[in-house]
Amino acid sequence: MAAAALGVALGVTLGLAAAARCFRPRPQGAWRLPFRARVVAHRGGAGERIENTMEAFENAVIDGSDLLELDCRRSRDGVAVVSHDRDLLRQTGHALSLSDTDFRDLPPYKSPLEVTFSPGCFAHGADRRFARLEDVFRRFPRQPISVEIKDDDDELIAEVAALVRRYDRASITLWASFREPILRKCRAAHPAMPYSFSLRRGLLLLLLYYTGLLPFVPLGESVLLFLLPSIINRTYFPVPKGWAGHLLSKVVETVALRPPLLRHLRAHGIQVSPAPPDPQVTPK
């Protein structure tokens, strides 16, 4: 019995040590953002204007978005381009790879463009040009922006970090990526920039919460950007649309968006977006 108890205690201790090592934390609250990310314009407000275009960003800012969310890739000639897809067929109708095409040769977006997370809905816009990340930084010098790095591309990460330094916007520019190895490289390229949770660390966050270990693990992230499954993809999640997809999306939301978890994050300076429903806020 004593040996079993000792084994359990040792297991818990090792688990705590491993969790702390995985997070490589900064002190909690050290990365408090100088803004509140209550309304996030996903892809610049896709669905209201053509995604990730300057017109979309302009419209989102006018509508009062707190945070512009965009995606970034690198063209063949080394330009940091705002684009969700590498394969441009969906966005432009042309079977081209962005990474194999010079920026000046990128075709225009289709108009109307179907909204990927709302099939049957189309975005229209007069602006159909791909934007450079530098153009966005120059046009919105004090607007908070989340830059999702889509590819494991060292040159792209270095270029984004250089642009952030050039425009002196480290405190209002978030590193973002679903992939932890990419996010690790981003943090090394510009350690002063805040960052969001990767998918791996988001899952680890839930594991720590449900095992009761979360209070013992400091977190270095500044924001949890959580895309509601029931909204972000009405085609599949990850099963075909219907009762199964609806049920699965609700289960994920219920498991991930627990009020005590959200209160814990906010108490330690970590913002959560989207926030709980607020009748005065209309999400993008």
Side-chain angles (χ1 to χ4, degrees):
M1 183 69 69
L6 180 61
V8 171
L10 180 61
V12 171
T13 301
L14 291 175
L16 283 170
R21 180 176 177 81
C22 287
F23 271 91
R24 300 182 184 276
R26 293 182 176 88
Q28 292 189 345
W31 287 106
R32 289 180 183 270
L33 298 175
F35 60 90
R36 291 191 63 194
R38 297 176 66 207
V39 182
V40 180
H42 180 242
R43 302 188 201 175
E48 297 186 5
R49 297 293 188 274
I50 295 175
E51 65 183 50
N52 279 326
T53 60
M54 294 298 290
E55 183 181 31
F57 300 133
E58 293 274 5
N59 181 70
V61 171
I62 291 172
D63 281 353
S65 296
D66 301 309
L67 178 69
L68 299 179
E69 189 275 342
L70 55 81
D71 311 285
C72 200
R73 299 183 185 272
R74 188 167 59 96
S75 62
R76 182 170 60 185
D77 53 344
V79 176
V81 181
V82 181
S83 176
H84 182 273
D85 299 356
R86 181 190 298 111
D87 180 350
L88 302 180
L89 184 60
R90 175 189 70 87
Q91 297 173 146
T92 71
H94 296 271
L96 297 172
S97 171
L98 189 150
S99 59
D100 294 332
T101 307
D102 290 343
F103 178 73
R104 65 176 181 275
D105 296 329
L106 293 175
Y109 278 96
K110 292 189 295 187
S111 184
L113 178 65
E114 188 171 28
V115 181
T116 55
F117 46 85
S118 189
C121 295
F122 293 82
H124 299 76
D127 183 5
R128 298 169 58 196
R129 297 167 297 177
F130 282 84
R132 301 185 308 165
L133 181 63
E134 183 169 9
D135 296 331
V136 180
F137 283 175
R138 184 183 295 117
R139 175 63 186 86
F140 306 103
R142 302 323 309 159
Q143 178 70 35
I145 297 175
S146 173
V147 180
E148 181 178 341
I149 303 298
K150 303 298 287 187
D151 300 313
D152 191 350
D153 182 337
D154 293 347
E155 291 185 35
L156 171 63
I157 293 170
E159 174 64 13
V160 172
L163 288 172
V164 169
R165 289 187 175 96
R166 186 181 310 161
Y167 290 91
D168 190 25
R169 49 174 301 120
S171 65
I172 58 170
T173 307
L174 285 167
W175 285 123
S177 178
F178 282 106
R179 297 161 61 185
E180 178 60 22
I182 293 178
L183 200 52
R184 218 175 275 133
K185 290 182 178 181
C186 292
R187 292 165 56 188
H190 199 322
M193 288 172 59
Y195 56 96
S196 61
F197 283 87
S198 65
L199 178 59
R200 181 190 301 177
R201 287 172 63 81
L203 293 174
L204 182 56
L205 175 71
L206 291 177
L207 177 63
L208 292 171
Y209 169 70
Y210 280 103
T211 56
L213 299 178
L214 184 58
F216 303 100
V217 181
L219 306 175
E221 284 81 357
S222 294
V223 63
L224 174 63
L225 297 174
F226 191 89
L227 304 177
L228 294 176
S230 62
I231 295 175
I232 196 61
N233 199 325
R234 295 170 182 170
T235 304
Y236 62 90
F237 180 74
V239 297
K241 180 174 61 176
W243 69 267
H246 177 75
L247 177 62
L248 183 56
S249 68
K250 288 301 181 185
V251 168
V252 171
E253 289 181 18
T254 301
V255 168
L257 298 182
R258 304 299 300 171
L261 171 60
L262 304 187
R263 285 195 294 269
H264 176 89
L265 294 177
R266 292 193 179 104
H268 292 88
I270 300 171
Q271 297 191 34
V272 180
S273 183
D278 184 333
Q280 298 180 341
V281 175
T282 302
K284 289 288 182 187

